[in-house]
Each structure stands twice: as structure tokens, then as C-alpha cells.
């Protein structure tokens, strides 16, 4: 079994120096001196203190959804300007979105949203969608799974149909299936993006090009006028490569995708063999897709 932590598939690389969001400490600016309760710089302990403070900011924003800047400054005993700098760095890494007066974990057309936050959204619908997607999987087949939290719910069910070969760029999926003896696991290397908990970028796309799988399961951030959209070009490039590497393509979405927006266009929904959507989708959103020839599989609530 080829796990990402042990031995990557031939031709892949696990470099973490690609792209502006590739590491937890990647930043467009040098870290500022960290202040303790006395307001003085922490000297030799500065890098660790900065990392710890930003980790606390990330966790609080994820848990609460929105946190005011003055509340963060008071809770961490630092200046408001320090919090502004921290939020700038965390936003550049994709962890959160800086808004007027604070920071939010909610996705937008420019911000994908922290993976921990997204995993909590529409959890029941994702489980129903995963159950429906299992019907398309045949034991012994090779399965491509993207880094979406929707497909993470499906990945948790794949051992029910082993033996399988599972190929993914998602670190969460790799961790989930790494110890399952019935899964032949192939990890796609490249630059690791912590906010996505996935490998993205040019090297990931190149690794996919040497593979051919029976079926692909993927999701998308937004659906607008019959097209999939995402916030980052790196995500779009990898997902396009995944689509080219699969004999059958399955898109899995919940009805909230029709109300969201993304910056970069990925592909029309008609490029997928099947689009699985939950029963919460309004007919006004589904009717145009049917008219375009999209094969819809609407999942009723169990």
C-alpha cells in the first residue's frame, strides 16, 4: 500500500515549497516580534509564540464562525495591529477570510474555507450523498477521490466495497484509509496546502497524468449557470487533471452549492457522467441542468 507518509508513487514529489500557501508558516512578510503579557518581545521563543498565537486564532475562528479583531487582541494580550498582521498571514494561507472588524471561516467567492469548518457544514446531507455514491463503486475497481469534505464522507464508506485501489490528493483521505488492508492506497504528491489538508499545484497535476482510474468522485465549491467554480487556480488545475484521468466522472454536490460563488470556472456539469445531488435542491436549479442534458441523480432523505 502506497501511503503518502511512507513511499510516494513513482513520479510524484512531496515538496512543500510550491505556491504561496504551501506551508503553515508561509507568509508574504517577516514575522513580527511576539508580545507576552508584559508587551515585550519574546526573543528566542518568538517563532514558536507566533505559531501558537496564529493556531489559537485559527481554532477560534473555526469554532465560532466569526470573531472580532478587538476580541482576539484582548484574549491573546497583543495589540490590534499584531492581530491585523496575523489575519493577513492566515488569510494568505487560506485559513480564514478577513472582513471588516474581524475574521470569518465562512467560504466566499475568494476564500475556500478551512477544512475543519467545511466538514461540519451539511454533515447529514454528505452522509446521504455518500450512501448514494457507493452504488456506483464496484469491488476491485480503481477510484479517484478529490480533497473535498463531501468526498471525505464517501471515503469513509469505501472499505465496505474492498478490495479497491484508491487514488487521492487528500491528506485526510490518506490518513483515513492508511491502515485498511483491503485498500491499495496511492497518494498524489506535490505542494501541501494545510488549509485544504491536501496536495495541490503543478506537481500534483503532473502526477495524475500518468494514471488512469475507473471512476472519479469529486465535488465543487459552487455551481453557477451549469458550471462548477472554485476559489483557487491550483484546485481547478488538479481537478481538471483528475477528470482527464477517469473513465467515469461523478460529481457530488449538496443543494447549498447553487447559492455559492467561486472565482475560477472549472467545467460544465454536462462533462460529468452523473451528478449526485441531495433532495434539498430546488427545481429552479435542477431544471436548467436537465435541459442541458446533465444526468441528475437526486438523493431522497433516508
Amino acid at each position: 500500500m502506497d501511503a503518502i507518509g511512507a513511499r510516494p508513487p513513482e513520479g510524484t514529489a512531496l515538496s512543500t515549497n510550491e505556491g504561496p500557501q504551501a506551508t503553515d508558516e508561509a507568509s508574504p512578510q517577516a514575522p513580527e516580534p511576539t508580545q507576552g503579557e508584559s508587551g515585550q518581545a519574546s526573543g528566542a521563543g518568538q517563532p514558536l509564540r507566533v505559531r501558537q498565537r496564529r493556531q489559537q486564532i485559527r481554532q477560534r475562528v473555526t469554532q465560532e464562525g466569526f470573531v472580532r479583531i478587538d476580541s482576539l487582541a484582548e484574549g491573546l494580550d497583543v495589540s490590534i495591529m499584531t492581530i491585523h498582521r496575523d489575519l493577513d498571514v492566515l488569510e494568505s494561507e487560506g485559513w480564514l477570510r478577513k472582513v471588516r472588524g474581524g475574521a470569518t471561516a465562512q467560504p466566499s467567492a475568494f476564500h475556500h474555507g478551512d477544512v475543519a469548518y467545511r466538514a461540519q457544514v451539511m454533515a447529514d446531507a454528505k452522509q446521504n450523498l455518500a450512501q448514494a455514491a457507493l452504488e456506483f463503486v464496484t469491488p476491485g475497481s480503481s477510484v479517484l477521490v478529490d480533497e473535498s469534505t463531501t468526498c471525505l464522507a464517501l471515503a469513509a464508506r469505501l472499505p465496505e466495497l474492498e478490495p479497491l485501489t484508491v487514488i487521492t490528493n487528500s491528506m485526510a483521505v490518506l490518513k483515513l484509509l492508511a491502515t485498511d488492508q483491503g485498500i491499495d492506497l496511492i497518494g498524489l504528491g506535490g505542494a501541501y496546502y494545510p488549509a485544504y489538508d491536501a496536495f495541490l499545484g503543478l506537481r500534483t497535476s503532473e502526477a495524475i497524468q500518468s494514471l488512469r482510474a475507473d471512476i472519479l468522485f469529486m465535488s465543487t465549491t459552487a455551481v453557477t449557470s451549469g458550471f462548477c467554480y472554485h476559489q483557487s487556480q491550483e484546485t481547478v488545475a488538479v481537478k481538471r487533471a483528475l477528470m482527464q484521468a477517469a473513465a467515469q466522472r461523478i460529481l457530488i454536490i449538496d443543494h447549498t452549492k447553487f447559492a455559492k460563488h467561486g472565482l475560477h470556472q472549472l467545467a460544465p456539469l454536462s462533462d460529468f457522467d452523473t451528478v449526485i445531488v441531495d433532495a434539498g435542491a430546488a427545481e429552479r436549479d435542477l431544471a436548467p441542468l436537465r435541459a442541458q442534458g446533465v444526468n441528475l441523480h437526486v438523493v431522497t432523505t433516508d
Side-chain angles (χ1 to χ4, degrees), residues 64-136:
E64 300 180 25
F66 171 80
V67 183
R68 296 191 59 83
I69 289 176
D70 54 3
S71 178
L72 288 169
E74 180 180 358
L76 294 169
D77 192 23
V78 294
S79 69
I80 287 179
M81 287 306 300
T82 294
I83 296 298
H84 271 289
R85 288 192 290 266
D86 286 341
L87 294 181
D88 287 339
V89 172
L90 292 171
E91 182 177 50
S92 73
E93 296 173 351
W95 291 109
L96 48 77
R97 181 163 55 100
K98 189 178 179 183
V99 295
R100 184 178 180 85
T104 178
Q106 297 181 2
S108 72
F110 304 97
H111 171 61
H112 191 245
D114 172 61
V115 65
Y117 178 84
R118 291 185 289 114
Q120 304 169 16
V121 179
M122 298 297 293
D124 291 340
K126 289 173 182 176
Q127 292 300 322
N128 288 331
L129 292 168
Q131 175 64 40
L134 281 179
E135 301 175 10
F136 294 84

Coordinates of all heavy atoms in Angstrom, one line a residue, residues 64-136:
E64 N -16.1 29.5 16.2 CA -17.2 30.5 16.3 C -17.7 31.0 15.0 O -18.8 31.7 15.0 CB -16.6 31.6 17.2 CG -16.1 31.2 18.6 CD -15.6 32.3 19.4 OE1 -16.0 33.5 19.1 OE2 -14.8 32.1 20.3
G65 N -17.0 30.8 13.9 CA -17.5 31.2 12.6 C -17.1 32.7 12.3 O -16.6 33.0 11.2
F66 N -17.2 33.6 13.3 CA -16.7 35.0 13.2 C -16.2 35.4 14.5 O -16.9 35.2 15.5 CB -17.9 35.9 12.7 CG -17.6 37.3 12.7 CD1 -16.8 37.9 11.7 CD2 -18.0 38.1 13.8 CE1 -16.5 39.3 11.8 CE2 -17.6 39.5 13.9 CZ -16.9 40.0 12.8
V67 N -15.1 36.1 14.5 CA -14.5 36.7 15.7 C -14.0 38.1 15.4 O -13.4 38.3 14.4 CB -13.3 35.8 16.2 CG1 -12.8 36.4 17.5 CG2 -13.7 34.4 16.4
R68 N -14.3 39.0 16.3 CA -13.9 40.4 16.2 C -12.4 40.6 16.5 O -11.9 39.8 17.3 CB -14.7 41.3 17.1 CG -16.2 41.4 16.7 CD -16.9 42.5 17.5 NE -16.3 43.8 17.1 CZ -16.6 44.5 16.0 NH1 -17.5 44.0 15.2 NH2 -16.1 45.7 15.8
I69 N -11.8 41.5 15.8 CA -10.4 41.7 16.0 C -10.1 42.2 17.4 O -9.1 41.7 18.0 CB -9.9 42.8 15.0 CG1 -9.9 42.2 13.6 CG2 -8.5 43.3 15.3 CD1 -9.5 43.2 12.5
D70 N -10.9 43.1 18.0 CA -10.6 43.6 19.3 C -10.7 42.4 20.4 O -10.0 42.4 21.3 CB -11.5 44.8 19.7 CG -13.0 44.5 19.5 OD1 -13.3 43.3 19.1 OD2 -13.8 45.4 19.7
S71 N -11.7 41.5 20.1 CA -11.8 40.3 21.0 C -10.6 39.4 20.9 O -10.1 38.9 22.0 CB -13.1 39.6 20.6 OG -13.2 38.4 21.4
L72 N -10.0 39.2 19.7 CA -8.8 38.4 19.6 C -7.6 39.1 20.3 O -6.8 38.5 21.0 CB -8.5 38.2 18.1 CG -9.4 37.3 17.3 CD1 -9.1 37.4 15.8 CD2 -9.2 35.8 17.8
A73 N -7.5 40.4 20.1 CA -6.4 41.2 20.7 C -6.5 41.1 22.2 O -5.5 40.9 22.9 CB -6.4 42.6 20.3
E74 N -7.7 41.2 22.8 CA -7.8 41.2 24.2 C -7.6 39.8 24.8 O -6.9 39.6 25.8 CB -9.3 41.6 24.6 CG -9.5 41.6 26.1 CD -10.9 42.0 26.4 OE1 -11.7 42.4 25.5 OE2 -11.3 42.0 27.6
G75 N -8.1 38.7 24.1 CA -7.9 37.4 24.5 C -6.5 36.9 24.4 O -6.1 36.0 25.2
L76 N -5.7 37.4 23.5 CA -4.3 37.0 23.3 C -3.3 37.9 23.9 O -2.1 37.7 23.8 CB -4.1 36.8 21.8 CG -4.8 35.6 21.2 CD1 -4.7 35.7 19.7 CD2 -4.4 34.3 21.7
D77 N -3.8 39.1 24.4 CA -3.0 40.1 25.1 C -1.9 40.6 24.2 O -0.7 40.7 24.5 CB -2.3 39.5 26.3 CG -1.6 40.5 27.2 OD1 -2.1 41.7 27.1 OD2 -0.7 40.2 28.0
V78 N -2.3 41.0 22.9 CA -1.5 41.6 22.0 C -2.2 42.8 21.4 O -3.4 43.0 21.6 CB -1.1 40.6 20.8 CG1 -0.2 39.5 21.4 CG2 -2.3 40.1 20.1
S79 N -1.5 43.6 20.6 CA -2.1 44.8 20.0 C -3.0 44.4 18.9 O -2.9 43.4 18.3 CB -1.0 45.7 19.5 OG -0.3 45.2 18.4
I80 N -3.9 45.4 18.6 CA -4.8 45.2 17.4 C -4.0 45.1 16.1 O -4.3 44.3 15.2 CB -5.8 46.4 17.4 CG1 -6.8 46.2 18.5 CG2 -6.5 46.4 16.0 CD1 -7.9 47.3 18.6
M81 N -2.9 45.9 16.0 CA -2.1 45.8 14.8 C -1.5 44.4 14.6 O -1.3 43.9 13.5 CB -1.0 46.9 14.8 CG -1.5 48.3 14.6 SD -2.5 48.4 13.1 CE -1.3 48.0 11.9
T82 N -1.1 43.8 15.8 CA -0.5 42.4 15.7 C -1.5 41.5 15.1 O -1.3 40.6 14.3 CB 0.0 42.0 17.1 OG1 1.1 42.8 17.5 CG2 0.4 40.5 17.1
I83 N -2.8 41.6 15.6 CA -3.9 40.7 15.1 C -4.1 41.0 13.7 O -4.3 40.0 12.9 CB -5.1 41.0 15.9 CG1 -4.9 40.5 17.4 CG2 -6.3 40.2 15.3 CD1 -4.6 39.1 17.6
H84 N -4.1 42.2 13.2 CA -4.2 42.5 11.8 C -3.2 41.8 11.0 O -3.5 41.2 9.9 CB -4.1 44.1 11.6 CG -5.4 44.8 11.7 ND1 -6.4 44.7 10.8 CD2 -5.9 45.6 12.7 CE1 -7.5 45.4 11.1 NE2 -7.2 46.0 12.3
R85 N -1.9 41.8 11.4 CA -0.8 41.2 10.7 C -1.1 39.7 10.7 O -0.8 39.0 9.7 CB 0.5 41.5 11.3 CG 1.0 43.0 11.0 CD 2.4 43.2 11.4 NE 2.6 43.1 12.8 CZ 2.6 44.2 13.6 NH1 2.4 45.4 13.0 NH2 2.8 44.1 14.9
D86 N -1.5 39.1 11.8 CA -1.7 37.7 11.9 C -2.8 37.3 10.9 O -2.7 36.3 10.2 CB -2.2 37.3 13.3 CG -1.0 37.3 14.3 OD1 0.2 37.2 13.8 OD2 -1.2 37.3 15.5
L87 N -3.9 38.0 10.9 CA -5.0 37.7 10.0 C -4.6 37.8 8.5 O -5.1 37.1 7.7 CB -6.2 38.6 10.3 CG -6.9 38.5 11.7 CD1 -8.0 39.4 11.8 CD2 -7.3 37.0 11.9
D88 N -3.8 38.8 8.2 CA -3.3 38.9 6.9 C -2.5 37.7 6.4 O -2.7 37.2 5.3 CB -2.3 40.1 6.7 CG -3.1 41.5 6.8 OD1 -4.3 41.5 6.5 OD2 -2.5 42.5 7.1
V89 N -1.7 37.2 7.3 CA -0.9 35.9 7.0 C -1.8 34.7 6.9 O -1.8 34.0 5.9 CB 0.2 35.7 8.1 CG1 0.8 34.3 7.9 CG2 1.2 36.8 8.1
L90 N -2.7 34.6 7.8 CA -3.6 33.4 7.8 C -4.6 33.5 6.6 O -4.9 32.4 6.1 CB -4.5 33.4 9.1 CG -3.6 33.1 10.4 CD1 -4.5 33.3 11.7 CD2 -3.1 31.7 10.4
E91 N -5.0 34.7 6.2 CA -5.8 34.8 5.0 C -5.0 34.4 3.8 O -5.5 33.7 2.9 CB -6.4 36.2 4.9 CG -7.3 36.3 3.7 CD -7.9 37.7 3.6 OE1 -7.1 38.7 3.7 OE2 -9.1 37.9 3.5
S92 N -3.8 34.8 3.7 CA -2.9 34.5 2.5 C -2.7 33.0 2.4 O -2.5 32.4 1.3 CB -1.6 35.2 2.6 OG -0.7 34.6 3.6
E93 N -2.8 32.3 3.6 CA -2.6 30.8 3.6 C -3.9 30.0 3.4 O -3.9 28.8 3.3 CB -1.9 30.4 4.9 CG -0.5 31.0 5.1 CD 0.1 30.7 6.5 OE1 -0.7 30.2 7.4 OE2 1.3 30.9 6.7
G94 N -5.0 30.8 3.3 CA -6.3 30.1 3.1 C -7.0 29.6 4.3 O -8.0 28.9 4.1
W95 N -6.6 30.0 5.5 CA -7.2 29.5 6.7 C -8.5 30.2 7.0 O -9.5 29.6 7.6 CB -6.3 29.7 7.9 CG -5.1 28.8 7.9 CD1 -3.8 29.1 7.7 CD2 -5.1 27.4 8.1 NE1 -3.0 28.0 7.7 CE2 -3.7 26.9 7.9 CE3 -6.1 26.4 8.3 CZ2 -3.4 25.6 8.1 CZ3 -5.7 25.1 8.4 CH2 -4.4 24.7 8.3
L96 N -8.6 31.5 6.7 CA -9.8 32.3 7.1 C -10.0 33.4 6.1 O -9.1 33.6 5.2 CB -9.7 32.8 8.5 CG -8.4 33.4 8.9 CD1 -8.2 34.8 8.4 CD2 -8.2 33.4 10.4
R97 N -11.0 34.2 6.3 CA -11.2 35.4 5.5 C -11.3 36.6 6.4 O -12.1 36.6 7.3 CB -12.5 35.2 4.6 CG -12.8 36.4 3.7 CD -13.8 36.0 2.7 NE -15.0 35.4 3.2 CZ -16.2 36.1 3.4 NH1 -16.3 37.4 3.0 NH2 -17.3 35.5 3.9
K98 N -10.5 37.6 6.1 CA -10.5 38.8 6.9 C -11.6 39.7 6.4 O -11.7 40.0 5.2 CB -9.1 39.5 6.8 CG -8.9 40.7 7.7 CD -7.5 41.2 7.6 CE -7.3 42.4 8.5 NZ -5.9 43.0 8.3
V99 N -12.5 40.2 7.3 CA -13.6 41.0 6.9 C -13.5 42.3 7.8 O -12.7 42.3 8.8 CB -14.9 40.3 7.0 CG1 -15.0 39.2 6.1 CG2 -15.1 39.8 8.5
R100 N -14.4 43.2 7.6 CA -14.4 44.4 8.4 C -14.7 44.1 9.8 O -15.7 43.6 10.2 CB -15.5 45.4 7.8 CG -15.6 46.7 8.5 CD -16.6 47.6 7.9 NE -16.7 48.9 8.6 CZ -15.9 49.9 8.3 NH1 -15.0 49.8 7.3 NH2 -16.0 51.1 8.9
G101 N -13.7 44.5 10.7 CA -13.9 44.3 12.1 C -13.5 43.0 12.6 O -13.5 42.8 13.9
G102 N -13.2 42.0 11.8 CA -12.8 40.7 12.3 C -12.4 39.7 11.2 O -11.9 40.1 10.2
A103 N -12.7 38.4 11.5 CA -12.3 37.3 10.6 C -13.4 36.3 10.6 O -14.1 36.0 11.7 CB -11.0 36.7 10.9
T104 N -13.7 35.6 9.5 CA -14.7 34.6 9.4 C -14.1 33.3 8.7 O -13.2 33.4 7.9 CB -15.9 35.1 8.6 OG1 -16.9 34.1 8.5 CG2 -15.5 35.5 7.2
A105 N -14.7 32.2 9.1 CA -14.3 30.9 8.5 C -15.3 30.6 7.3 O -15.0 29.6 6.6 CB -14.4 29.8 9.5
Q106 N -16.3 31.4 7.1 CA -17.3 31.0 6.1 C -16.7 31.3 4.7 O -16.0 32.3 4.5 CB -18.5 31.9 6.3 CG -19.2 31.6 7.6 CD -20.5 32.5 7.7 OE1 -20.9 33.2 6.8 NE2 -21.2 32.3 8.8
P107 N -16.9 30.3 3.8 CA -16.3 30.5 2.4 C -17.0 31.7 1.7 O -18.0 32.1 2.0 CB -16.7 29.1 1.8 CG -17.0 28.2 2.9 CD -17.6 29.0 4.0
S108 N -16.3 32.1 0.7 CA -16.8 33.2 -0.2 C -16.3 32.9 -1.6 O -15.6 31.8 -1.9 CB -16.3 34.5 0.3 OG -14.9 34.7 0.0
A109 N -16.5 33.8 -2.5 CA -16.0 33.6 -3.9 C -14.5 33.6 -4.0 O -13.9 33.1 -4.9 CB -16.6 34.7 -4.8
F110 N -13.9 34.1 -2.9 CA -12.4 34.2 -2.9 C -11.7 33.4 -1.9 O -10.5 33.2 -1.9 CB -12.0 35.7 -2.8 CG -12.5 36.6 -3.8 CD1 -13.7 37.4 -3.4 CD2 -12.0 36.8 -5.0 CE1 -14.2 38.2 -4.4 CE2 -12.5 37.6 -6.0 CZ -13.7 38.4 -5.6
H111 N -12.5 32.8 -1.0 CA -12.0 32.1 0.1 C -12.7 30.7 0.2 O -13.9 30.6 0.3 CB -12.2 32.8 1.5 CG -11.9 32.1 2.7 ND1 -10.6 31.6 2.9 CD2 -12.6 31.7 3.7 CE1 -10.6 30.9 4.1 NE2 -11.8 31.0 4.6
H112 N -11.9 29.6 0.2 CA -12.4 28.3 0.2 C -13.0 27.9 1.5 O -14.0 27.1 1.6 CB -11.3 27.3 -0.2 CG -11.8 25.9 -0.5 ND1 -11.5 24.8 0.2 CD2 -12.6 25.5 -1.5 CE1 -12.1 23.7 -0.3 NE2 -12.8 24.1 -1.3
G113 N -12.4 28.3 2.6 CA -12.9 27.9 3.9 C -12.0 26.8 4.5 O -11.6 25.9 3.8
D114 N -11.7 26.9 5.8 CA -10.9 25.9 6.5 C -11.6 24.6 6.4 O -12.8 24.5 6.6 CB -10.7 26.4 7.9 CG -10.0 25.3 8.8 OD1 -8.9 24.9 8.4 OD2 -10.6 24.9 9.7
V115 N -10.8 23.5 6.2 CA -11.4 22.2 6.0 C -12.1 21.7 7.3 O -13.2 21.1 7.2 CB -10.2 21.2 5.7 CG1 -9.2 21.0 6.8 CG2 -10.8 19.8 5.3
A116 N -11.7 22.1 8.5 CA -12.4 21.7 9.7 C -13.8 22.3 9.7 O -14.7 21.7 10.2 CB -11.6 22.1 10.9
Y117 N -13.9 23.6 9.3 CA -15.1 24.3 9.3 C -16.1 23.7 8.2 O -17.2 23.4 8.5 CB -14.9 25.8 9.0 CG -16.2 26.6 8.9 CD1 -16.8 27.0 10.0 CD2 -16.8 26.8 7.7 CE1 -18.0 27.7 10.0 CE2 -18.0 27.5 7.6 CZ -18.6 28.0 8.7 OH -19.8 28.7 8.7
R118 N -15.5 23.4 7.1 CA -16.4 22.9 6.0 C -16.9 21.5 6.3 O -18.0 21.1 5.9 CB -15.6 22.8 4.7 CG -15.3 24.2 4.1 CD -14.6 24.2 2.8 NE -13.3 23.7 2.8 CZ -12.8 22.6 2.3 NH1 -13.6 21.8 1.7 NH2 -11.5 22.3 2.4
A119 N -16.1 20.7 7.0 CA -16.5 19.3 7.4 C -17.8 19.3 8.2 O -18.5 18.3 8.2 CB -15.4 18.6 8.1
Q120 N -18.0 20.4 9.0 CA -19.2 20.5 9.8 C -20.4 20.9 9.1 O -21.6 20.7 9.6 CB -18.9 21.5 11.0 CG -17.7 21.2 11.8 CD -17.3 22.3 12.7 OE1 -18.1 23.2 13.0 NE2 -16.1 22.3 13.2
V121 N -20.3 21.5 7.9 CA -21.4 22.0 7.2 C -22.1 20.9 6.4 O -21.5 20.2 5.7 CB -20.9 23.1 6.2 CG1 -22.1 23.7 5.4 CG2 -20.2 24.2 7.0
M122 N -23.4 20.9 6.5 CA -24.3 19.9 5.7 C -23.8 18.5 6.0 O -23.8 17.7 5.0 CB -24.2 20.3 4.2 CG -24.8 21.6 3.9 SD -26.5 21.8 4.3 CE -27.3 20.6 3.1
A123 N -23.5 18.2 7.2 CA -22.9 16.8 7.5 C -23.9 15.7 7.2 O -23.5 14.7 6.6 CB -22.5 16.8 9.0
D124 N -25.2 15.9 7.5 CA -26.2 14.8 7.3 C -26.4 14.6 5.8 O -26.5 13.5 5.3 CB -27.5 15.2 7.9 CG -27.5 15.2 9.4 OD1 -26.5 14.5 10.0 OD2 -28.3 15.8 10.1
A125 N -26.4 15.7 5.0 CA -26.6 15.6 3.6 C -25.4 14.9 3.0 O -25.6 14.1 2.0 CB -26.7 17.0 2.9
K126 N -24.2 15.2 3.5 CA -23.0 14.5 2.9 C -23.0 13.0 3.2 O -22.6 12.2 2.3 CB -21.7 15.1 3.5 CG -21.4 16.5 3.1 CD -20.3 17.2 3.8 CE -20.1 18.6 3.3 NZ -19.0 19.3 4.1
Q127 N -23.6 12.6 4.3 CA -23.7 11.1 4.6 C -24.7 10.5 3.6 O -24.5 9.4 3.1 CB -24.1 10.9 6.0 CG -23.1 11.3 7.1 CD -21.8 10.5 6.9 OE1 -21.8 9.3 6.6 NE2 -20.7 11.2 7.1
N128 N -25.8 11.2 3.3 CA -26.8 10.6 2.4 C -26.2 10.6 1.0 O -26.4 9.6 0.2 CB -28.0 11.5 2.4 CG -28.9 11.3 3.6 OD1 -28.9 10.3 4.3 ND2 -29.6 12.4 4.0
L129 N -25.4 11.6 0.6 CA -24.8 11.6 -0.7 C -23.8 10.5 -0.8 O -23.6 9.8 -1.9 CB -24.2 12.9 -1.0 CG -25.1 14.1 -1.1 CD1 -24.4 15.4 -1.1 CD2 -25.9 14.0 -2.5
A130 N -23.0 10.2 0.2 CA -22.0 9.2 0.2 C -22.7 7.8 0.1 O -22.2 7.0 -0.7 CB -21.2 9.2 1.6
Q131 N -23.8 7.6 0.7 CA -24.5 6.3 0.6 C -24.9 6.1 -0.9 O -24.8 5.0 -1.4 CB -25.8 6.4 1.5 CG -26.7 5.1 1.4 CD -26.0 3.9 1.8 OE1 -25.2 3.8 2.8 NE2 -26.2 2.8 1.1
A132 N -25.4 7.2 -1.5 CA -25.9 7.1 -2.9 C -24.7 6.8 -3.8 O -24.8 6.1 -4.8 CB -26.6 8.3 -3.3
A133 N -23.5 7.4 -3.5 CA -22.4 7.3 -4.4 C -21.8 5.9 -4.4 O -21.2 5.4 -5.3 CB -21.3 8.3 -4.0
L134 N -22.0 5.2 -3.2 CA -21.5 3.8 -3.1 C -22.1 2.9 -4.2 O -21.4 1.9 -4.6 CB -21.8 3.3 -1.7 CG -20.9 3.7 -0.6 CD1 -21.4 3.0 0.7 CD2 -19.5 3.3 -0.8
E135 N -23.3 3.2 -4.7 CA -23.9 2.4 -5.7 C -23.1 2.3 -7.0 O -23.3 1.4 -7.8 CB -25.3 2.9 -5.9 CG -26.2 2.9 -4.7 CD -27.6 3.5 -4.9 OE1 -27.9 3.8 -6.1 OE2 -28.3 3.7 -4.0
F136 N -22.3 3.3 -7.2 CA -21.5 3.4 -8.4 C -20.2 2.7 -8.3 O -19.4 2.7 -9.3 CB -21.3 4.9 -8.8 CG -22.6 5.6 -9.2 CD1 -23.4 6.2 -8.2 CD2 -23.0 5.7 -10.5 CE1 -24.5 6.8 -8.5 CE2 -24.1 6.4 -10.8 CZ -24.9 6.9 -9.8

